[in-house]
């Protein structure tokens, strides 16, 4: 397989990547055939996966606009993925030109493309780091330069926690991040779940097995398990709901049924 010019030399382009599969679902061009093959296998079981990803992105943009309207001008997006149109910095800086944004991802392709997109933007940067090591994120030069932890921050964990297994203590990681943030900070979160998928669970499990096969297990948690991530936060109305129901800008009944798979919510730190 020929290595494209945009692919860092350090990555193995024969191994699928979650962020590049996500890029493929969203119609992006920064993915390889091995990523597209894995995506097609998952879509054979759950054909609406691209609709779920689109609903994630739409919710993220609504939540960022909500945060900006509430006066928040600092955004920490962990598991940010490969940049696509309507990224956090674009939405936030449209509302507040001086808004500061730090992206975090452990995929070298996502980091390389974020660096390229953000070139010349002095109020945004990217960190190569992992959600499972919150202290490395919080003590990174990029966060120290751009984020004042004594002021409210919007922490985005969009479509990332379902890739963290219970053995890696996702609840502990989220709690560490919460404890580092000032009162009034927001947690913006989406998470996959079998609840809401317009398919029998056993068929949806076929898509989950594809992620297990590429050694990026997809952990489908219940609504109650997802709600635990908001401990220490007061939920913003309408609470933890299917993505199209969170402060919709168009009629939810017009959405594709797959858009209702999983849950989204925003919490405010007391």
């Amino acid at each position: 397989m020929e290595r494209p010019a945009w692919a860092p030399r350090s990555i193995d382009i024969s191994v699928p990547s979650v962020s590049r599969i996500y890029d493929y679902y969203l119609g992006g061009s920064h993915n390889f055939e091995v990523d597209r093959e894995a995506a097609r296998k998952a879509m054979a079981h759950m054909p609406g996966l691209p609709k779920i990803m689109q609903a994630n992105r739409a919710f993220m943009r609504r939540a960022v606009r909500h945060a900006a309207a509430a006066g928040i001008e600092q955004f920490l997006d962990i598991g940010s993925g490969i940049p696509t149109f309507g990224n956090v910095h674009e939405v936030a800086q449209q509302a507040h030109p001086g808004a500061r944004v730090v992206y975090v991802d452990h995929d070298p392709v996502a980091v390389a493309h974020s660096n390229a997109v953000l070139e010349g933007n002095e109020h945004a940067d990217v960190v190569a780091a992992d959600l499972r090591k919150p202290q490395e994120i919080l003590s990174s030069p990029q966060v120290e330069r751009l984020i004042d932890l004594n002021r409210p921050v919007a922490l985005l964990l969009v479509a990332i926690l379902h890739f963290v297994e219970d053995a890696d203590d996702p609840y502990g990681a989220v709690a560490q991040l919460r404890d580092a943030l000032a009162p009034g900070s927001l947690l913006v979160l989406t998470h996959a779940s079998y609840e809401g998928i317009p398919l029998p669970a056993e068929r949806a499990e076929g898509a989950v097995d594809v992620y297990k096969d590429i050694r990026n297990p997809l952990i489908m948690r219940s609504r109650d398990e997802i709600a635990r991530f908001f401990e220490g936060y007061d939920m913003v109305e309408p609470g933890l709901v299917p993505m199209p129901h969170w402060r919709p800008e168009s009629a939810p009944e017009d959405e594709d049924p797959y858009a209702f798979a999983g849950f989204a919510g925003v919490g405010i730190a007391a």
Side-chain angles (χ1 to χ4, degrees):
M1 183 190 306
E2 186 175 345
R3 181 182 296 272
W6 52 262
R9 301 297 305 178
S10 59
I11 68 167
D12 184 348
I13 62 175
S14 68
V15 177
S17 150
V18 164
S19 65
R20 297 194 308 266
I21 292 170
Y22 192 97
D23 178 66
Y24 174 73
Y25 289 144
L26 290 173
S29 58
H30 294 102
N31 48 75
F32 307 125
E33 180 53 34
V34 67
D35 305 307
R36 296 188 284 273
E37 182 182 359
R40 288 191 289 265
K41 284 181 180 176
M43 289 167 63
H45 300 281
M46 200 185 302
L49 279 166
K51 294 294 183 184
I52 297 173
M53 308 313 162
Q54 290 163 19
N56 263 283
R57 299 291 297 182
F59 161 77
M60 178 273 290
R61 289 190 285 268
R62 296 196 304 277
V64 169
R65 285 193 287 269
H66 167 80
I72 290 181
E73 299 184 12
Q74 304 186 105
F75 298 82
L76 181 59
D77 183 2
I78 302 178
S80 49
I82 295 169
T84 58
F85 174 75
N87 255 32
V88 172
H89 73 281
E90 294 173 326
V91 179
Q93 291 176 353
Q94 185 176 36
H96 297 294
R100 294 168 178 255
V101 179
V102 175
Y103 293 111
V104 181
D105 209 289
H106 63 74
D107 185 309
V109 172
V111 173
H113 277 283
S114 296
N115 273 318
V117 166
L118 298 175
E119 187 174 358
N121 189 331
E122 63 182 25
H123 295 310
D125 210 338
V126 59
V127 179
D130 193 310
L131 170 62
R132 292 168 291 191
K133 298 178 179 178
Q135 203 49 51
E136 289 186 10
I137 296 171
L138 295 168
S139 62
S140 66
Q142 297 91 331
V143 168
E144 290 186 345
R145 179 175 75 87
L146 287 172
I147 305 293
D148 179 357
L149 295 174
N150 294 310
R151 295 174 50 234
V153 176
L155 169 64
L156 286 90
L157 300 175
V158 176
I160 178 65
L161 284 163
H162 46 237
F163 291 114
V164 184
E165 297 180 81
D166 288 341
D168 290 320
D169 192 15
Y171 297 103
V174 173
Q176 280 189 59
L177 291 164
R178 177 200 65 214
D179 292 346
L181 301 181
S185 293
L186 296 182
L187 172 60
V188 176
L189 182 153
T190 68
H191 197 298
S193 176
Y194 285 121
E195 297 175 44
I197 295 177
L199 284 175
E202 56 270 20
R203 184 171 172 196
E205 283 173 7
V208 173
D209 287 342
V210 171
Y211 284 90
K212 192 183 300 180
D213 291 343
I214 65 170
R215 298 180 183 175
N216 279 286
L218 180 59
I219 312 302
M220 306 289 269
R221 295 186 171 98
S222 69
R223 185 184 183 282
D224 286 346
E225 289 170 325
I226 298 165
R228 281 182 55 202
F229 288 113
F230 286 97
E231 287 182 6
Y233 291 90
D234 295 324
M235 295 302 295
V236 171
E237 287 295 329
L240 186 62
V241 294
M243 291 175 285
H245 287 306
W246 198 91
R247 304 200 174 198
E249 294 170 349
S250 58
E253 55 267 26
D254 294 337
E255 293 283 352
D256 185 281
Y258 275 96
F260 297 86
F263 293 96
V266 175
I268 183 166

